Amino acid sequence: MSKEIKDYSKYFDFSDAKVISEDETGKKIRIRGREIHIISEPNQREEKKRGKQDVQVVYEESIPEDMRMIGIGKHYLVYTFGCQMNEHDSETIKGMLEQMGYQATESREEADIILLNTCAIRENAEDRVFGELGHLKTLKLENPGLLLGVCGCMSQEEGVVNRIMQKHGFVDMIFGTHNIHRLPYLIQESLFSKEMVVEVWSKEGDIVENLPKKRQGMRGWVNIMYGCDKFCTYCIVPFTRGKERSRLPQDVIAEVRELARQGFKEITLLGQNVNAYGKDLTGMNYTFGDLMDDISKIDIPRVRFTTSHPRDFDDRLIEVLAKGGNLVEHIHLPVQSGSSAVLKKMSRKYTRELYLDLVGRIKTAIPHAVLTTDIIVGFPGETDEQFEETLSLVREVGFDSAFTFIYSPREGTPAAVMEDNVPMEVKKERLQRLNKTIKDYSLIGSEKFLGQVVEVLVEGESKNNATVLAGRTRSNKLVHFEGSADMIGQFVHVQITDYKTFYIKGELVPEPVIAY
């Protein structure tokens, strides 16, 4: 049987709420004894609008002086759910908290502020967050001075915010993806007023530069754009992240140069659809391929990007990537389905044939290209024949790995009202068959490395054996080998002696023989 769609209507019943005051700063209401200051709240109708208003670039200097003492002697803990974009947002959140005087901790009991940076892409991600809130309620009862906050993509959903206000009154603050830079003000307001503070912007904000970031390790995330205009029928991101807004090229390049100066070994350029970069920059003829070409001249050993959309993957980008150098040959290219009919229902705006043509052009220009992808099984109406088309596309492309998911309806998307007529047991069986096919081709990809000497960026010790180090090749293949901890963060060369499905094993060599 198909999973029953949740009834969100009860979260919109505010008949028991009392309005205390309302002015230009928002409104204050009381629900079940908790006062809530709603500065702004998400509005699904507003989020669906794509206005023509200009996006301003704002250069913030730093956290205001009067807020730099708020966290002295206090500790913070940030939990991050979801994609690399959320990871990057958490780096900004941590950077602001530390400028406010807070120190990081891994202990819930020691924390004075705990923030959940959430993901809305699938229902189970939301379920995990609400489960986490249930655990944190006990902690809040034991320590009433603890500040609890929910931010990220879930906060942009009207139903989620209403649910928190109705059922989770112990939460202290809710803010969205467009107003992260407002965090210091929200903390100050929450501390001083003792009220729940809600500030979620439905319309996209300006691009705020120079916000502090706390990066760790040898790899750095660099946001090059925000939002998405593709409106795939299953996806909530265009509503939670807003319309496409590109950062100015000079600001992106300046950030990458600074990371190079700091000694970062690898950067990943981020965007919901990175290869749409530049299309919204008025008066400029500057594409993602141009940006990659400029970044390739900066002294950082490895440059990656995610995520790309097949529709915007143009020949200029392929031409630039084919130059190699610090631009790695691993390309994540989400296909979602191998059936043109399903792709049309998903509103992906390309066909199976166009996708395979793009793959052919990439492999011709970049012979060592390694492709990974995202695939959804059990989309509403998907037939057995259409699923077989997905399997045949996987075999034809030979993906090295894939993120595979059972379709999850998201309230507010067009697909959520489609008839979900694929039984759950069928979805699970399809997912198993798909994963087996992916594993078969991942094993083939691993086998190709046997006997090769590869360059590995060492990331850390193996979880199961401290004498074994783990790192990744340029093509993003995981490598295990014996070595000392002082190699972490460095490039080494490893000769591959064995292979598994999702990783390869090898031995250190003093000098490279072949490296790619």
Side-chain angles (χ1 to χ4, degrees), residues 1 6-7 66 92 97 137 177 199 201 207 267 310 327 344 352 366-367 383 412 416 449 451 490 498 514:
M1 296 292 293
K6 289 185 178 179
D7 178 15
D66 62 334
T92 301
L97 289 170
K137 181 179 181 179
T177 61
E199 184 179 272
W201 296 357
I207 294 176
I267 63 163
L327 307 182
K344 185 176 182 180
R352 171 193 178 95
I366 313 166
T383 65
F449 284 97
Q490 305 300 317
D498 194 9
I514 303 173

Side-chain angles (χ1 to χ4, degrees), residues 470-481:
R472 291 189 181 271
T473 66
R474 286 172 55 92
S475 60
N476 209 39
K477 200 73 175 180
L478 183 63
V479 183
H480 287 176
F481 63 96

Side-chain angles (χ1 to χ4, degrees), residues 192-228:
F192 292 166
S193 70
K194 306 299 182 184
E195 301 164 338
M196 180 192 294
V197 179
V198 179
E199 184 179 272
V200 181
W201 296 357
S202 292
K203 299 305 291 181
E204 301 86 355
D206 298 326
I207 294 176
V208 183
E209 296 286 353
N210 296 344
L211 290 174
K213 296 176 179 63
K214 183 183 180 182
R215 291 183 167 103
Q216 295 173 299
M218 77 297 291
R219 298 185 298 173
W221 309 111
V222 177
N223 221 117
I224 66 170
M225 65 181 301
Y226 306 91
C228 182

Side-chain angles (χ1 to χ4, degrees), residues 344-355:
K344 185 176 182 180
K345 287 185 71 175
M346 290 178 168
S347 193
R348 291 291 286 176
K349 305 291 173 56
Y350 57 82
T351 62
R352 171 193 178 95
E353 291 73 26
L354 287 173
Y355 185 90

Side-chain angles (χ1 to χ4, degrees), residues 110-146:
E110 186 181 29
D112 297 280
I113 179 171
I114 298 177
L115 298 177
L116 306 183
N117 188 7
T118 64
C119 172
I121 200 75
R122 277 172 290 279
E123 187 176 9
N124 64 346
E126 289 192 4
D127 291 342
R128 286 176 59 204
V129 170
F130 281 113
E132 200 63 54
L133 282 177
H135 297 311
L136 291 172
K137 181 179 181 179
T138 303
L139 196 63
K140 178 74 172 180
L141 291 173
E142 295 171 352
N143 178 14
L146 171 67

Side-chain angles (χ1 to χ4, degrees), residues 313 329-333 355 358-360 362-363 368-373 397-402 475:
F313 210 108
E329 50 276 7
H330 169 231
I331 297 171
H332 190 68
L333 193 63
Y355 185 90
L358 172 59
V359 168
I362 290 172
K363 289 187 174 183
H368 291 304
V370 172
L371 298 179
T372 57
T373 196
V397 176
F399 294 111
D400 193 68
S401 66
S475 60

